[in-house]
Amino acid sequence: MDKIEKQALQVTKEIIVKFIEVGRISPSNFSDIFSSIYADVIASVRAQQIKEEDVRGESE
């Protein structure tokens, strides 16, 4: 697991904890929710990386 994936996992855990605190997630739907949130977080991070690489490429 690379650094980005570890950070995405940590962010996902924090989001899940907040959702549990407010009662939006229960043990019965945890696995479905966790997977979808992680997928969204990692997709967002990777999309941002691509944007940053494009900007760096344009400025060179």
Side-chain angles (χ1 to χ4, degrees), residues 36-53:
S36 68
I37 291 174
Y38 178 77
D40 288 344
V41 169
I42 198 75
S44 296
V45 170
R46 288 186 176 147
Q48 184 61 35
Q49 282 181 317
I50 291 169
K51 287 180 186 178
E52 290 174 3
E53 290 171 2

Side-chain angles (χ1 to χ4, degrees), residues 12 16 29-42:
T12 302
I16 293 292
N29 65 357
F30 173 82
S31 63
D32 294 333
I33 301 294
F34 188 90
S35 297
S36 68
I37 291 174
Y38 178 77
D40 288 344
V41 169
I42 198 75

Side-chain angles (χ1 to χ4, degrees), residues 19-30:
F19 280 173
I20 289 171
E21 288 174 352
V22 297
R24 301 276 315 249
I25 295 177
S26 68
S28 64
N29 65 357
F30 173 82

Side-chain angles (χ1 to χ4, degrees), residues 3-15:
K3 182 180 176 182
I4 297 297
E5 290 171 338
K6 286 180 184 179
Q7 289 175 339
L9 185 60
Q10 182 61 38
V11 168
T12 302
K13 288 178 184 178
E14 292 174 16
I15 292 169

